[in-house]
Amino acid sequence: DIQMTQSPSTLSASVGDRVTITCRASQNINNWLAWYQQKPGKAPKVLIYKASSLESGVPSRFSGSGSGTEFTLTISSLQLDDFATYYCQQYNSYSGITFGQGTRLDI
Amino acid sequence: QVTLKESGPVLVKPTETLTLTCTVSGFSLRTARMVVSWIRQTPGQAPEWLAHIFSNDEKAYSTSLKNRLSISKDIGTGQVVLTMTNMDPVDTATYYCARMDMAPIKFDFWGQGMLVTVSS
């Protein structure tokens, strides 16, 4: 199975800060990577797909980059609504789907 | 409007078989690029993908759980069913069904999730 390693696991930041979360895959996943935001008691919500494509309706302060085994999610200017947990997710047709362990973004 | 809704028992006993149903609306299970997955999550942990089923009835399962899982679909009723055998207290989790758009690959719609507790 492909392992996804996210860092950091917890991140403390303030409104207006720029933050970056990293996700590393244990093998090349090309650009089949998505990023999700999850708030307590809710299902995850897709932010970025195919490594760098912004989901419709998601604010442009969210951006994704990377390919191969290393990927990043950047929030350019944190808003109060952004404090949540973030997960990366990969897809591989042979081994299936795995999620990173998550990054909790705290105020 | 795409929706998915999970249903099934909220409490199962150890060693029992869990059967969960995902009822979809707003899209067809025949649509070539749409896949329905089951995903579970325990509090404070990452989501764990369990299984998915394609429009052509091709199936895929988590490597670690494949011996306990079975997924099927009924196009007429718009339902995807997951069974998990030999339930254990460690299987206590919120179970979600979600639609994955294969072009490109993303889980774009999720059910609200349902908590399943395994206890005697």
Side-chain angles (χ1 to χ4, degrees):
Chain A
D1 289 3
I2 297 175
Q3 307 303 316
M4 305 300 291
T5 303
Q6 262 182 259
S7 60
S9 55
T10 306
L11 181 57
S12 295
S14 302
V15 172
D17 283 355
R18 178 185 179 92
V19 299
T20 297
I21 299 168
T22 298
C23 188
R24 289 187 174 87
S26 59
Q27 64 189 75
N28 185 358
I29 58 170
N30 297 300
N31 61 354
W32 297 122
L33 184 103
W35 289 97
Y36 298 83
Q37 177 192 70
Q38 188 176 31
K39 296 186 176 178
K42 300 292 188 183
K45 170 190 167 186
V46 64
L47 303 173
I48 302 286
Y49 60 92
K50 208 174 172 185
S52 60
S53 296
L54 188 68
E55 176 71 355
S56 175
V58 173
S60 59
R61 62 181 180 271
F62 291 92
S63 64
S65 64
S67 66
T69 61
E70 187 151 339
F71 302 86
T72 59
L73 172 71
T74 299
I75 310 172
S76 61
S77 178
L78 275 173
Q79 303 301 304
L80 270 178
D81 191 49
D82 301 337
F83 292 95
T85 300
Y86 294 83
Y87 295 99
C88 60
Q89 170 250 316
Q90 70 82 29
Y91 172 81
N92 177 278
S93 59
Y94 296 103
S95 62
I97 293 165
T98 46
F99 290 84
Q101 77 272 28
T103 295
R104 193 181 80 225
L105 180 52
D106 291 336
I107 300 175
Chain B
Q1 177 191 0
V2 172
T3 63
L4 301 95
K5 186 173 174 62
E6 305 88 355
S7 59
V10 296
L11 179 66
V12 296
K13 291 182 168 52
T15 75
E16 287 186 341
T17 294
L18 171 68
T19 299
L20 294 174
T21 300
C22 176
T23 303
V24 309
S25 64
F27 72 101
S28 171
L29 296 176
R30 279 195 191 94
T31 305
R33 56 188 256 198
M34 301 303 173
V35 176
V36 174
S37 294
W38 283 95
I39 296 158
R40 70 180 181 181
Q41 189 175 29
T42 53
Q45 301 299 311
E48 178 186 17
W49 171 75
L50 301 176
H52 61 223
I53 188 163
F54 293 80
S55 59
N56 64 359
D57 224 37
E58 182 181 337
K59 299 154 190 175
Y61 297 99
S62 160
T63 303
S64 59
L65 292 168
K66 62 182 178 182
N67 292 336
R68 299 174 53 205
L69 296 172
S70 178
I71 191 169
S72 62
K73 66 178 172 48
D74 184 326
I75 292 175
T77 60
Q79 293 182 329
V80 175
V81 175
L82 180 79
T83 61
M84 180 181 291
T85 61
N86 195 25
M87 293 292 284
D88 184 272
V90 301
D91 296 314
T92 295
T94 295
Y95 287 76
Y96 294 98
C97 60
R99 187 183 86 166
M100 184 165 67
D101 184 343
M102 293 297 290
I105 294 170
K106 58 179 177 176
F107 286 113
D108 56 356
F109 290 93
W110 296 66
Q112 64 190 21
M114 66 173 295
L115 176 63
V116 177
T117 301
V118 184
S119 174
S120 55

